Amino acid sequence: MVQTTSGDGIRTLTLDRPDQRNALTSTALRDLEAAVESATEPVLYLHGAGEAFCAGADLDEVKALDSERAEAFAALGQRVARTLESYDGAVVAGIDGAARGGGVELALACDIRVATPGATLAETGVKLGLFGAWGGTARLPDIVGTGDALDIALSGRTLDAETALQMGLVSRVTAEPRAVAEEVAAVDTDALRVLKARMRDDADRETQERREQQAFADLSAKTE
């Protein structure tokens, strides 16, 4: 359900269930987690096969869950999102077609989100009596602000690529999202990894600045 290929500093992760718009089962989530954990490339590129990025959680599996298993399923999705977020290289999501629910939440865990002009994004869970539980309630407000996050989540409305760009939900709109992954893969690998670590640092400001100084010194020593 998750295909991987590697080359030119990029590991491509393809959600490969196009007939179901790449909806994610628990098996697919574990496959994705394993693909990220085994990667060593400086850049990961996550995208979907066919006409959608990812429709989110597989609803047939979700509907069959009792309360205990539903909590475990949410915990699994959260763990996979954290695995993407904490990867020490850059993670680029190439969003083409529909991203819904859990698909949006996985994209939120990526460092860079790039949409094609025809991409659409929505947190539709509220319309089904559910909501995305893979860390989206924390990451979405961080990325777009609380006001827009509440608008997106509580209405379940669908955003086109330009609206998502204006909100900051995606950082670029382009016909070739993979080109952004290639652009990132062309930079200095050590600097890329250090810069991501510093920008993902959630320590207090003084600690962040001290770590930034040391990281800059370490990189400078390598260029001497």
Side-chain angles (χ1 to χ4, degrees), residues 150-224:
L150 286 166
D151 181 357
I152 293 166
L154 300 184
S155 69
R157 70 188 179 104
T158 299
L159 308 178
D160 60 27
E162 286 299 327
T163 302
L165 179 64
Q166 292 167 12
M167 286 186 171
L169 185 54
V170 301
S171 59
R172 303 195 206 183
V173 176
T174 175
E176 298 293 340
R178 184 181 171 82
V180 177
E182 294 169 355
E183 178 183 333
V184 176
V187 307
D188 181 88
T189 298
D190 289 337
L192 181 154
R193 295 183 189 278
V194 168
L195 185 57
K196 172 173 175 175
R198 298 282 53 79
M199 296 192 75
R200 287 289 194 185
D201 194 343
D202 61 359
D204 63 88
R205 177 62 64 85
E206 183 178 351
T207 300
Q208 288 184 34
E209 290 179 348
R210 185 169 63 250
R211 291 171 177 171
E212 182 181 71
Q213 293 166 16
Q214 185 59 57
F216 179 75
D218 291 344
L219 286 174
S220 296
K222 292 181 180 181
T223 64
E224 292 178 353

Side-chain angles (χ1 to χ4, degrees), residues 95-106:
I95 304 168
D96 187 18
R100 299 288 185 270
V104 173
E105 294 192 291
L106 290 185

Side-chain angles (χ1 to χ4, degrees), residues 127 131 191:
K127 295 183 176 181
F131 66 94

